[in-house]
Amino acid sequence: MITTVTGYFRKFNLEVETEDDDFTRAGRIEFTADINSIDTNNAQRDTHLKSDDFFAAEKYSQLRFTGKKIQEQGDEYILEGDLTIRDVTKPVSLQVDFTGTVIDPYGQVKAGFTVDGKVRRKEFNLTWDAMTEAGQVVVSNDIRVHAEIQLIKQQEETTVTKETTEEAQA
């Protein structure tokens, strides 16, 4: 309509695996969000979003994004991947701004990113519509995606084998 409704998922998971600090060579990028955790600061709207009119949370409990590749374009990156909402999976492209890497006071290495994009909701079977008395659309077809992400580098798992030798005394 005339304003943007902002919402977020309270429960989500993001995992990124890369062999070095160059995220353009990430081998795995997986994001999932619990649809039942959606929060737009309006309980009635949240219930409607979880219903069959939109996300159908009882049947499709998660939204999923699987990253396929990252391409550098000047100072920004384009992240391409597959977005699954309900029973529909479509390719999407997202703009990524790498905001840097720091070591925090606890010795953790952290990397920051801002992600922006737009998807067309009707392409994902989110087709509910309504009109105001003045003939204006209540819900836009465009969903804006915005995320501020901070990743924490996990230590590599190493396996240490301890061999013991016993010397026989003669």
Side-chain angles (χ1 to χ4, degrees):
M1 237 165 64
I2 59 172
T3 63
T4 298
V5 172
T6 301
Y8 57 94
F9 296 100
R10 289 187 175 272
K11 295 179 183 176
F12 59 89
N13 187 58
L14 172 63
E15 292 184 17
V16 177
E17 289 181 7
T18 184
E19 294 197 18
D20 55 28
D21 292 340
D22 184 355
F23 288 96
T24 61
R25 293 193 294 256
R28 184 168 83 81
I29 300 171
E30 291 286 333
F31 172 82
T32 57
D34 178 354
I35 297 298
N36 281 305
S37 74
I38 197 164
D39 188 345
T40 64
N41 204 28
N42 180 303
Q44 184 177 3
R45 179 175 40 235
D46 296 346
T47 299
H48 191 200
L49 288 170
K50 295 173 196 176
S51 77
D52 288 342
D53 285 343
F54 288 97
F55 289 107
E58 283 189 30
K59 189 171 183 181
Y60 309 105
S61 62
Q62 287 192 333
L63 171 150
R64 176 178 301 280
F65 175 81
T66 303
K68 299 293 185 187
K69 70 178 181 176
I70 301 173
Q71 296 182 45
E72 196 170 352
Q73 288 190 345
D75 292 341
E76 292 187 342
Y77 298 86
I78 301 297
L79 171 58
E80 295 179 10
D82 292 330
L83 177 63
T84 302
I85 300 175
R86 295 176 61 118
D87 58 343
V88 177
T89 300
K90 298 257 184 203
V92 297
S93 295
L94 303 169
Q95 293 178 315
V96 178
D97 181 23
F98 175 57
T99 55
T101 303
V102 298
I103 298 174
D104 74 9
Y106 306 102
Q108 296 176 316
V109 178
K110 295 182 176 182
F113 303 88
T114 299
V115 178
D116 287 297
K118 189 186 307 185
V119 296
R120 312 236 352 125
R121 70 177 173 91
K122 291 182 181 179
E123 292 179 1
F124 293 92
N125 288 339
L126 305 175
T127 58
W128 182 86
D129 273 319
M131 301 289 269
T132 65
E133 289 180 15
Q136 294 179 319
V137 176
V138 174
V139 180
S140 170
N141 189 28
D142 292 332
I143 299 172
R144 293 184 195 152
V145 176
H146 178 79
E148 297 293 335
I149 298 170
Q150 185 179 95
L151 298 176
I152 301 172
K153 184 175 184 177
Q154 302 297 305
Q155 297 299 320
E156 292 181 36
E157 292 183 20
T158 56
T159 304
V160 177
T161 304
K162 181 179 178 185
E163 294 183 18
T164 58
T165 56
E166 295 181 17
E167 293 183 20
Q169 291 183 337

